[in-house]
């Protein structure tokens, strides 16, 4: 079967757009081919900085003939309905339609449509120009004289050539001919911009990749990544170093080169006094280079860095490495200046006295100065939620409330909360916002803060995603919870809640962070009371508590499902009032353990049977006694069940009071045998109304006993 090769070659495509663009091209082309009636065996996309390519194997040479019937209105229908039918069927007059008869509906019109199949080349030539014109680039541009015309071609960078060939392996492929804004498809491409600028004639994909490789272009982006990583490791090792690997940077760099050449650069040792995070970010952000460590070192960096060139220089890359080193040195000089400046006094100390007093800050300490300035400048957190200074004051109050709950020293918590946002006013964080928190920790340690206070400056932002670690130091935990709870209650108070897929303030992430901190640190916290204290900062909005609690229930469900918990067990345990997340988790764990046993599964079946009978009788308004009267028992099975229910209800209630949910579940499991015996030997709907009402009351007691631990009716199975 024929194969299709498509290449769209342009000026350099931004690295961040390449992978998605190649995937979009594959999807748009294959979807279009299938919609046109073609099938294919396999399709794979490729990309380099200067091209998007598509290899489609086993494409059918022609679409199938189509015959279909379109049913129309009755022959007695009004003219308006007939005209609508003609338009839908593509007929010019009703004479082209057929009349069918139905014994019930009478005569009606039917259009017999016959569409002959089309050659794949014709379909491709029609499909691809439309895809190019409507390609979903995040940003695109027009260029050249044609750009002045309305509707002219837009592309991410100027499009230079199109390769489009089609044909089976055993034959010479044909060029699928089409033109878009003066660019005609063909079988000519070009290799590396400098090493192989001459035109290359290609036939099919295997021939295309081989010729590109010979022309210093590695088409496969994943292979370019493998080359870069392997060569970088080898160069580092040969110089007594270890590469500091960075998957994000590797992905980006592989999108900057077509022919990767790994080189080693160098900067002065003096710059190593800068924190390693700052060095790494400076070199990464400005030069797209990798840093290295002395072999075996855990933290310290070396003064050598790895760069990836796109050319094999005649001098072995010495000049390229030297040029990159010059730029790195200039950038590190700036970083060194920022680092030293942040450790000095601010020039406007005399204006910060009032803010310092408000937060009990020591203006002899650099980080305290930065916090005082953050408050003094009235830096806005959110237009409706006030300044950063006001927010820090709220976080401090809330963190102090949480300190005894999480077992933290209140004085350390208060200090940590006050300094947590101070590094937002540092020069390094101004240059590299992604270092906020990390620099706060470093500056806090430099000025002699308690290690827990310093740790909280960094860790109160955590966890920032499902794979990020949660803080465990009690001081960090208190400040992290306060920070996230203030954010959530604040945005709830101004009615800026997540909607659908939109969550501009990352409130789902904040709530999931609270869930993980509480559950993974095994912390008991009544959310209702802490919400009330947090909402007190936003006058009159305490009515949002139940809505916010429901939001937390949803986040907890997401978290537990990711941990492998069954959704029905979670629903069985959570009630609208449940505000202790750790208790919910323990209940789910205990319920899951119970249902993993034969006794548990049988108890579930018996309990659901009891609930179903009871619900059916209640729906029919059958009399159910308010209490169980032992004098009305006629069978041993109901007597034994009554005794077992009394004992299980009492023992389970005591276990729940002691928050021993495993024991509560185990206690209920002893009901399995008496419940089974009851249903085997006792007729609930006895002819005697009093006996029946008494037995239904006994079923109600079973339901009440099990409802202490979970709503068994919500459990599947």
């Amino acid at each position: 079967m024929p194969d299709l090769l498509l290449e769209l070659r342009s000026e350099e495509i931004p690295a961040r757009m390449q992978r998605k663009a190649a995937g979009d091209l594959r999807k748009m082309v294959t979807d279009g081919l299938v919609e046109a009636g073609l099938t294919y065996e396999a399709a794979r996309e490729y990309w380099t900085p200067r091209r998007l390519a598509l290899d489609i194997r086993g494409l059918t040479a022609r679409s199938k003939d189509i015959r279909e019937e379109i049913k129309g209105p009755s022959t007695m229908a009004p003219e308006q309905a007939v005209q609508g039918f003609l338009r839908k069927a593509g007929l010019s007059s009703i004479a082209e339609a057929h009349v069918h008869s139905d014994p019930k509906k009478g005569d009606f019109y039917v259009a017999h449509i016959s569409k002959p199949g089309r050659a794949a080349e014709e379909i491709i030539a029609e499909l691809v120009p439309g895809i190019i014109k409507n390609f979903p680039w995040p940003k695109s541009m027009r260029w050249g004289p044609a750009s002045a015309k309305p509707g002219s071609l837009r592309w991410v960078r100027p499009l230079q050539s199109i390769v489009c060939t089609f044909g089976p392996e055993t034959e010479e492929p044909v060029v699928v001919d089409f033109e878009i804004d003066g660019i005609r498809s063909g079988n000519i491409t070009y290799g590396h911009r400098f090493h192989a600028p001459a035109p290359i004639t290609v036939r099919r994909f295997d021939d295309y990749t081989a010729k590109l490789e010979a022309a210093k272009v590695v088409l496969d982006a994943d292979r370019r990544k493998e080359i870069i990583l392997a060569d970088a490791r080898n160069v580092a090792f040969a110089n007594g170093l270890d590469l500091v690997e960075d998957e994000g940077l590797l992905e980006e760099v592989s999108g900057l080169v077509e022919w990767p050449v790994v080189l080693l650069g160098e900067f002065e040792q003096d710059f190593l006094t800068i924190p390693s995070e700052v060095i790494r970010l400076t070199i990464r952000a400005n030069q797209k280079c990798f840093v290295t460590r002395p072999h075996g070192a855990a933290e310290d960096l070396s003064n050598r860095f790895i760069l990836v060139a796109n050319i094999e220089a005649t001098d072995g890359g010495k000049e390229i490495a030297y040029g990159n080193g010059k730029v790195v040195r200039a950038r590190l000089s700036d970083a060194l200046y920022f680092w030293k400046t942040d450790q000095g006094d601010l020039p406007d100390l005399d204006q910060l006295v009032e803010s310092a007093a408000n937060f009990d800050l020591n203006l002899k300490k650099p980080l305290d100065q930065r916090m005082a300035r953050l408050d003094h400048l009235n830096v806005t957190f959110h237009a409706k939620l006030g300044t950063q200074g006001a927010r820090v004051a709220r976080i401090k109050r809330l963190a102090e409330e949480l300190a005894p709950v999480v077992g933290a020293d209140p004085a350390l918590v208060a200090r940590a909360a006050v300094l947590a946002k101070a590094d937002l006013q540092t020069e390094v964080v101004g240059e590299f916002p992604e270092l906020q928190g990390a620099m706060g920790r470093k500056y806090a340690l430099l000025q002699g803060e308690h290690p827990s206070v310093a740790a909280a400056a960094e860790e109160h932002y955590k966890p920032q995603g499902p794979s990020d670690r949660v803080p465990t130091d009690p001081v960090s935990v208190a400040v992290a919870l306060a920070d996230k709870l203030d954010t959530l209650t604040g945005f709830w108070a101004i009615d800026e809640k997540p909607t659908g897929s939109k969550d501009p303030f990352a409130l789902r992430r904040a709530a999931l962070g609270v869930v993980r901190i509480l559950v993974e640190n095994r912390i008991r916290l009544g959310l209702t009371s802490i919400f009330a204290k947090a909402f007190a900062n936003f006058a009159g909005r305490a009515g949002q508590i139940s809505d916010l609690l429901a939001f937390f229930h949803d986040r907890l469900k997401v978290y537990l499902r990711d941990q492998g918990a069954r959704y029905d067990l979670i629903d069985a345990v959570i009630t609208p009032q449940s505000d202790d997340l750790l208790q919910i988790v323990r209940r789910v764990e205990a319920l899951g353990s119970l249902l993993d046993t034969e006794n548990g599964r049988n108890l579930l079946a018996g309990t659901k049977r009891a609930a179903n009978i009871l619900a059916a009788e209640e729906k029919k308004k059958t009399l159910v006694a308010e209490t169980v009267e032992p004098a009305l028992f006629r069978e041993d099975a109901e007597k034994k069940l009554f005794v077992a229910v009394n004992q299980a209800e009492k023992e389970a209630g005591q276990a729940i009071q002691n928050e021993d949910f495993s024991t509560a579940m185990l206690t209920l499991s002893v009901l399995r045998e008496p419940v089974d015996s009851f249903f085997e030997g006792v007729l609930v709907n006895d002819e005697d109304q009093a006996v029946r009402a008494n037995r239904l009351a006994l079923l109600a007691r079973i339901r009440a006993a099990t409802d202490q631990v979970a709503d068994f009716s919500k459990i599947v199975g």
Side-chain angles (χ1 to χ4, degrees):
M1 294 179 73
D3 301 330
L4 172 66
L5 167 64
L6 177 65
E7 181 203 65
L8 306 176
R9 188 179 64 87
S10 67
E11 293 292 333
E12 276 71 5
I13 304 167
R16 67 184 183 279
M17 298 182 187
Q18 293 167 18
R19 183 179 290 271
K20 183 179 185 303
D24 288 341
L25 179 64
R26 175 183 53 78
K27 186 176 188 308
M28 293 173 78
V29 171
T30 55
D31 285 357
L33 294 173
V34 170
E35 189 176 338
L38 301 177
T39 63
Y40 64 95
E41 293 176 356
R44 184 177 173 188
E45 69 273 26
Y46 298 86
W47 63 92
T48 78
R50 298 178 63 214
R51 66 198 82 222
L52 302 178
L54 188 57
D55 173 29
I56 299 181
R57 302 290 175 98
L59 185 65
T60 45
R62 186 178 183 84
S63 63
K64 292 181 180 179
D65 296 342
I66 296 176
R67 297 183 184 278
E68 61 177 331
E69 290 186 355
I70 300 177
K71 187 177 179 180
S74 164
T75 55
M76 304 300 290
E79 182 63 21
Q80 186 177 1
V82 172
Q83 291 301 318
F85 164 64
L86 293 177
R87 286 193 297 272
K88 178 181 177 182
L91 303 180
S92 57
S93 75
I94 198 64
E96 297 176 8
H98 297 256
V99 176
H100 288 201
S101 296
D102 185 281
K104 294 181 179 179
K105 298 181 180 179
D107 294 345
F108 58 91
Y109 293 115
V110 175
H112 293 179
I113 306 298
S114 179
K115 296 180 181 178
R118 302 166 64 202
E121 298 98 306
E122 180 185 343
I123 293 171
I124 295 165
E126 182 181 284
L127 174 69
V128 175
I131 290 173
I132 294 173
K133 283 189 173 182
N134 298 292
F135 201 79
W137 291 110
K139 291 184 178 181
S140 57
M141 61 180 290
R142 295 182 293 178
W143 63 92
S147 65
K149 300 176 183 177
S152 61
L153 175 63
R154 301 182 67 92
W155 200 245
V156 63
R157 296 291 184 270
L159 188 62
Q160 296 178 328
S161 67
I162 301 171
V163 170
C164 192
T165 66
F166 179 72
E169 276 189 41
T170 55
E171 299 176 13
E172 186 69 18
V174 299
V175 170
V176 180
D177 185 46
F178 57 86
E179 182 180 338
I180 178 167
D181 272 30
I183 303 172
R184 183 168 291 281
S185 59
N187 60 355
I188 304 294
T189 190
Y190 295 81
H192 192 283
R193 184 187 295 277
F194 303 111
H195 289 307
I200 302 168
T201 302
V202 298
R203 298 170 64 250
R204 62 185 78 257
F205 183 77
D206 293 340
D207 167 61
Y208 166 73
T209 53
K211 288 182 176 178
L212 280 183
E213 188 92 13
K216 306 291 187 183
V217 174
V218 178
L219 182 67
D220 188 340
D222 290 330
R223 185 162 160 257
R224 291 199 302 276
K225 288 173 67 173
E226 291 170 3
I227 292 170
I228 293 168
L229 184 58
D231 288 356
R233 287 171 174 167
N234 291 337
V235 167
F237 182 78
N239 287 272
L241 305 169
D242 291 332
L243 176 70
V244 178
E245 297 186 13
D246 184 330
E247 175 61 29
L249 180 59
L250 181 62
E251 172 79 11
E252 183 175 9
V253 170
S254 71
L256 298 175
V257 296
E258 290 195 316
W259 189 253
V261 179
V262 172
L263 303 170
L264 187 66
E266 186 176 0
F267 56 85
E268 284 74 16
Q269 290 270 1
D270 292 348
F271 289 122
L272 294 177
T273 59
I274 306 170
S276 58
E277 298 94 329
V278 179
I279 294 174
R280 183 176 179 178
L281 268 178
T282 299
I283 292 176
R284 184 191 201 279
N286 294 293
Q287 289 303 105
K288 313 301 180 190
C289 296
F290 299 85
V291 294
T292 63
R293 292 192 179 104
H295 184 62
E299 297 292 336
D300 295 337
L301 298 182
S302 80
N303 66 323
R304 304 284 192 90
F305 62 92
I306 299 287
L307 62 127
V308 183
N310 189 36
I311 190 171
E312 290 180 349
T314 54
D315 65 352
K318 291 180 181 178
E319 196 63 31
I320 295 173
Y322 175 75
N324 275 267
K326 284 178 65 177
V327 178
V328 165
R329 283 190 284 275
R331 298 295 187 182
L332 289 177
S333 293
D334 292 341
L336 183 60
Y337 169 78
F338 297 149
W339 169 243
K340 289 181 176 179
T341 299
D342 287 338
Q343 297 172 56
D345 289 339
L346 291 172
D348 54 349
L349 282 180
D350 58 324
Q351 300 177 34
L352 307 180
V353 175
E354 183 179 349
S355 291
N358 290 340
F359 289 95
D360 195 22
L361 296 166
N362 183 353
L363 289 182
K364 292 182 179 179
K365 295 185 175 184
L367 200 58
D368 290 56
Q369 294 176 20
R370 273 69 188 173
M371 178 55 221
R373 175 184 268 184
L374 185 68
D375 180 60
H376 171 71
L377 294 177
N378 290 321
V379 176
T380 300
F381 168 63
H382 184 279
K384 295 181 181 179
L385 294 175
T387 66
Q388 286 282 12
R391 181 163 186 258
V392 168
R394 294 196 303 267
I395 291 172
K396 176 177 177 289
R397 289 193 296 272
L398 201 54
E400 288 174 319
E401 292 277 356
L402 290 164
V405 179
V406 303
D409 182 327
L412 293 180
V413 166
R415 178 68 172 161
V418 166
L419 293 181
K421 307 295 182 184
D423 68 351
L424 296 176
Q425 279 293 305
T426 62
E427 298 288 339
V428 169
V429 173
E431 180 72 10
F432 300 113
E434 54 267 61
L435 286 179
Q436 71 181 55
M439 296 312 300
R441 181 176 198 156
K442 288 188 177 297
Y443 291 135
L445 289 172
L446 281 173
Q447 69 176 34
E449 298 296 332
H450 189 284
S452 291
V453 172
E458 179 175 18
E459 294 180 346
H460 80 282
Y461 290 109
K462 294 182 176 296
Q464 296 196 36
S467 60
D468 194 15
R469 67 176 182 86
V470 300
T472 56
D473 183 293
V475 175
S476 296
V477 167
V479 181
L481 287 173
D483 179 50
K484 292 168 178 58
L485 289 169
D486 177 77
T487 297
L488 287 156
T489 51
F491 283 104
W492 242 253
I494 62 172
D495 202 27
E496 290 280 2
K497 307 169 189 176
T499 56
S501 61
K502 294 182 179 179
D503 186 10
F505 304 110
L507 301 182
R508 291 188 181 95
R509 185 176 71 186
L512 188 57
V514 173
V515 168
R516 288 191 59 204
I517 290 171
L518 294 176
V519 172
E520 294 176 28
N521 284 299
R522 312 302 280 182
I523 295 170
R524 300 291 308 279
L525 177 66
L527 289 177
T528 301
S529 61
I530 205 68
F531 286 167
K533 291 170 183 175
F535 273 120
N537 295 308
F538 311 101
R541 300 312 299 252
Q544 296 276 5
I545 288 177
S546 59
D547 186 56
L548 182 54
L549 186 58
F551 181 72
F552 267 87
H553 288 168
D554 288 340
R555 295 301 94 200
L556 179 62
K557 289 178 182 179
V558 170
Y559 171 75
L560 289 177
R561 287 169 191 166
D562 288 344
Q563 301 298 308
R566 286 168 45 181
Y567 74 92
D568 55 332
L569 302 193
I570 304 169
D571 288 339
V573 164
I574 288 182
T575 69
Q577 294 76 37
S578 301
D579 73 341
D580 185 334
L581 303 186
L582 183 59
Q583 187 182 86
I584 294 171
V585 172
R586 287 175 172 169
R587 284 177 178 263
V588 171
E589 290 170 350
L591 183 57
S593 296
L594 174 66
L595 295 178
D596 282 340
T597 67
E598 185 179 358
N599 277 352
R601 289 190 291 272
N602 288 337
L603 175 63
L604 172 63
T607 302
K608 294 186 79 169
R609 183 177 177 184
N612 290 338
I613 293 172
L614 192 59
E617 295 304 319
E618 287 173 337
K619 189 174 182 180
K620 291 188 289 185
K621 297 185 178 180
T622 303
L623 178 65
V624 179
E626 292 185 7
T627 60
V628 178
E629 179 52 62
L632 292 172
F633 290 155
R634 294 179 178 175
E635 308 289 343
D636 286 342
E638 55 188 327
K639 295 175 185 177
K640 290 178 181 179
L641 178 58
F642 180 62
V643 171
V645 168
N646 283 337
Q647 183 178 349
E649 194 171 39
K650 179 181 177 182
E651 292 179 1
Q654 184 61 51
I656 290 169
Q657 192 173 350
N658 296 334
E659 299 190 351
D660 185 352
F661 302 111
S662 295
T663 299
M665 298 290 178
L666 189 63
T667 299
L668 287 177
S669 70
V670 303
L671 288 175
R672 174 259 174 107
E673 193 278 329
V675 167
D676 287 350
S677 297
F678 177 83
F679 283 119
E680 287 173 7
V682 177
L683 178 65
V684 175
N685 289 321
D686 194 89
E687 292 180 357
D688 186 318
Q689 183 177 352
V691 172
R692 180 171 64 246
N694 196 56
R695 288 174 178 172
L696 289 172
L698 187 54
L699 298 187
R701 287 288 302 282
I702 297 172
R703 183 172 65 182
T706 54
D707 277 354
Q708 291 181 99
V709 294
D711 184 349
F712 276 47
S713 68
K714 293 183 178 178
I715 302 174
V716 177

